[in-house]
Amino acid sequence: MTHSVGNAPPRSGAPTHIYYFDVGVGDWEGRFTFRVTSWPRFRRTRVGLRNRALVVAMVLAQRLTGPPRLESTIVADPSAGAFGVADNVVRLSTFGVTLYLLKERYLLAPDGTSVTVEAHEQFGPVPGIVTRTFGYPAEIQPSGLGSTYHMPLLGSPWTATYEVGADRQSLAGQLVCDWARATENVRRIR
């Protein structure tokens, strides 16, 4: 996650402002895990050859080198868009080599809980080889301390839920689909 312009406080008590502008802004670091929970369901699902290869590569890479490092930087602009905008760059790496790069823009809706996400992802260290651009919806919990994203990843619909720690310096996420589960555990480093 990244920094707000001047680390300004939220414009309001809206859940999206709390989540992105108050809590989310800054640099975060932690670990990412990925596992296939049902190989039979994965084999039956229609995800395409490229996504099958990416899943197998992710599973093998994690078995060989352990969970990748997750770095995230969120930069927020409360005055942009209809109700504010936040940008997030997420990088998964092992031994300094980028395995996955995700650039997201969160467009906050005036209702204070809805978010439209514009995303661009890259698998592997070489830009432009395995990339795509896509969008999806998200909702922020009324407390502003949790979120749910409905993401199309690896050829399947995923639901990602995140909970902010009581100290507001940690974030735990679970991403699930019919055949796999991933986790993200990060702490703010600045």
Side-chain angles (χ1 to χ4, degrees):
M1 302 188 182
T2 189
H3 315 271
S4 168
V5 177
N7 276 336
R11 289 190 311 187
S12 72
T16 52
H17 289 181
I18 294 167
Y19 191 76
Y20 293 108
F21 304 157
D22 182 30
V23 176
V25 129
D27 295 322
W28 299 74
E29 193 174 276
R31 291 283 176 206
F32 175 84
T33 64
F34 175 84
R35 71 182 176 94
V36 173
T37 55
S38 174
W39 285 101
R41 280 197 301 269
F42 174 64
R43 283 191 291 275
R44 285 193 304 269
T45 194
R46 296 177 183 261
V47 298
L49 185 58
R50 181 176 89 164
N51 287 321
R52 283 194 194 288
L54 290 170
V55 167
V56 170
M58 288 171 48
V59 169
L60 290 175
Q62 187 170 289
R63 283 187 184 162
L64 292 172
T65 63
R69 177 181 175 171
L70 187 154
E71 299 166 278
S72 173
T73 298
I74 293 181
V75 177
D77 186 349
S79 63
F83 202 61
V85 172
D87 290 305
N88 187 14
V89 176
V90 178
R91 179 177 179 251
L92 300 178
S93 63
T94 298
F95 305 120
V97 176
T98 299
L99 305 174
Y100 181 76
L101 183 64
L102 177 65
K103 296 178 180 178
E104 295 175 304
R105 171 160 278 188
Y106 307 118
L107 306 169
L108 284 53
D111 69 6
T113 59
S114 301
V115 180
T116 299
V117 183
E118 297 172 348
H120 180 78
E121 70 179 356
Q122 166 193 314
F123 281 90
V126 181
I129 302 290
V130 182
T131 63
R132 77 178 173 121
T133 300
F134 58 103
Y136 57 91
E139 304 91 38
I140 306 305
Q141 292 177 5
S143 66
L145 300 177
S147 60
T148 303
Y149 296 82
H150 304 283
M151 315 164 88
L153 299 171
L154 297 166
S156 292
W158 290 68
T159 300
T161 55
Y162 294 89
E163 292 293 328
V164 175
D167 61 359
R168 292 187 174 209
Q169 301 298 308
S170 60
L171 184 71
Q174 290 211 30
L175 297 80
V176 296
C177 76
D178 185 47
W179 49 267
R181 175 178 300 273
T183 62
E184 296 180 16
N185 289 290
V186 295
R187 288 202 64 76
R188 183 193 317 273
I189 58 171
R190 65 180 152 266

